Structure formats: C-alpha cells, structure tokens
Amino acid sequence: SLGSAAFHPVGTTQAVLRGRSLLSGRDTTSASWFFLFGQVGYFLGPIAGGPLLQHFGPAGLMTLALPALLIGLNAAWRMGGPRSAASQPAAASGQQPSARYGRWFIVALVITASLQSWTQQNMVTFVPKYLSDLGQSASFYGLSSALFMGGSAIGNVAGGTLADRYGKRRVAMVALALGSIPLALVPAAGQSAALFGLLLLAGFFTGSVYSIIVVTAQRVLPGGVGIASGLNKGFMFYSGAIGTDL
C-alpha cells in the first residue's frame, strides 16, 4: 500500500507535465491515459492473482512483484543521473501558474471528489455482495464488476479528452448528470441482462470525471503539482473508504 501510494502522485505529476509540454497543453488527456492503464491493472490483477493463489497459495502472489520490480528498475534508469537533468526543461516548461479560484469553487471541488469516490467505491464493493445475496454465481457478479471498471476506464479517457476540448466544468457536469440515470436504474434491473449495460454506463460516466478532478485540484492547490497530486488522490481514496464504511 505504501509503495502504491508513493508511486501515484509521482506518476500523475509526470503524466500531467508531459501533457503540458508534449501534447500542447492537453494535461487532462495525458492524465486520463495514465489512469487508464492503472484501471486496466485493477482489471487484470485479479485475473492473474486468482489462479496463482489457487494453485500456489499466498506465496504464488509473490510472482506479481517481479513486473513491479522490473518497472521500478527501468524508471530508476531512465530518470536517474544525467537523464534527470535533461528532463528539467520539459518539466519546467510544463509548470503553469495557478489561476485564482474562489472559496466556493474549492468547496464544490471537494464535494464532487468525495461523492465521485464514494460512488465508485460503493459500486465496486457492494454490487458483488448484492448479487451474491440474490443467489448469483461468482462468474455473474465478477463480470458485473469487470464491466463497471471497464466502463470507468474507457470513460476516463473519453472525459479527459473532451475536457481539454470543451472545458473541464462543462464535461464534468454533463457526465455526472448522465451518470445518475444508470445508477438510479441499477436496483430496478435486478438480475436481468439490462444490469450489465447499466453498470457499463454507470462506470463510464462516473469514471469520466476522475482525471478532471485530479488535474483541477493540481491547479487549485498551491505548492506544486506533486504535492497537489498526493493530497488529492489521498483525499479521494480516504473519502471512498469512509463512504464504503458508512
């Protein structure tokens, strides 16, 4: 958990700076691609970890540490020594002065981040439990969770791309308004096939604002992109956990 938490702010920062310097300022698009691959990892991790755990026990999960080790060594090689100096101009050019944001805008951003995280965490946690209590098999509610996360991953990229084109506030408002519709219809769908489509749409719309929230928070919070990323993501993870507990 500590390793993952330490990586996310740094990875988010690098993604945003690359978007500003290499993608003509499209930092939300760049961040959305970073989050896409993270969500793909959430999707593929259980698929790989389940058989390892079943056949080799807890020790089999150590196999998953090998890719992480190789990626870490590659990052250390590419970002260390003379290469770090070469990357300074790109990072510096990507730094943009923070605009002035009113107090109520910050309050609205905090509430939006909290509720978005609450929604996603509750769906991932309790939809499988709900379907299990209805007597459905593990394959049924496993597919349901995968569709929600898959929709969230696709929506994240779509939302980030559209936000750079049409504006972050506008895209976030429309996406969250549309996302409330399939969320409200999920209980009515019961165990029908329509549930799969509703979960896909719910994941798409609620996930489409994730990169928007993170990048907006980076512009609001003082002290640099890195600390803003860490504070924002830590707050969203904590909010999701509190919402699940409630």
Side-chain angles (χ1 to χ4, degrees):
S1 298
L2 291 175
S4 176
F7 167 78
H8 273 89
V10 180
T12 305
T13 299
Q14 292 300 315
V16 170
L17 293 180
R18 292 301 183 271
R20 292 178 184 176
S21 61
L22 302 178
L23 297 180
S24 303
R26 290 178 292 166
D27 48 4
T28 315
T29 300
S30 182
S32 70
W33 280 98
F34 172 75
F35 297 134
L36 167 67
F37 285 98
Q39 289 168 328
V40 169
Y42 279 120
F43 175 75
L44 295 178
I47 295 177
L52 289 172
L53 185 64
Q54 180 177 347
H55 294 290
F56 303 104
L61 296 179
M62 295 178 64
T63 309
L64 299 178
L66 180 59
L69 176 61
L70 295 177
I71 293 171
L73 292 174
N74 178 65
W77 173 65
R78 290 182 177 274
M79 300 181 67
R83 294 177 181 268
S84 61
S87 66
Q88 290 299 325
S93 64
Q95 294 285 357
Q96 297 181 358
S98 298
R100 288 186 173 272
Y101 293 91
R103 179 182 303 174
W104 291 112
F105 177 86
I106 298 176
V107 171
L109 178 63
V110 170
I111 294 174
T112 302
S114 299
L115 296 181
Q116 191 271 350
S117 183
W118 282 26
T119 301
Q120 290 226 308
Q121 289 284 355
N122 275 278
M123 291 294 289
V124 172
T125 302
F126 294 116
V127 166
K129 177 66 168 60
Y130 166 71
L131 295 174
S132 176
D133 290 345
L134 292 178
Q136 290 292 342
S137 64
S139 60
F140 186 91
Y141 58 75
L143 177 60
S144 301
S145 297
L147 285 173
F148 181 81
M149 290 304 300
S152 179
I154 298 171
N156 182 35
V157 175
T161 303
L162 292 173
D164 284 331
R165 180 175 298 181
Y166 299 108
K168 296 178 178 59
R169 296 191 198 187
R170 183 181 302 174
V171 173
M173 289 173 60
V174 172
L176 291 176
L178 292 175
S180 65
I181 299 173
L183 284 172
L185 293 176
V186 164
Q191 306 175 61
S192 66
L195 176 66
F196 295 134
L198 291 173
L199 289 174
L200 184 66
L201 289 174
F204 180 89
F205 287 118
T206 58
S208 64
V209 301
Y210 187 77
S211 57
I212 297 174
I213 293 172
V214 172
V215 173
T216 303
Q218 290 174 344
R219 296 180 180 275
V220 171
L221 295 175
V225 178
I227 189 171
S229 300
L231 289 172
N232 175 254
K233 293 182 72 64
F235 173 76
M236 292 185 71
F237 290 149
Y238 179 76
S239 298
I242 293 296
T244 302
D245 183 62
L246 295 176

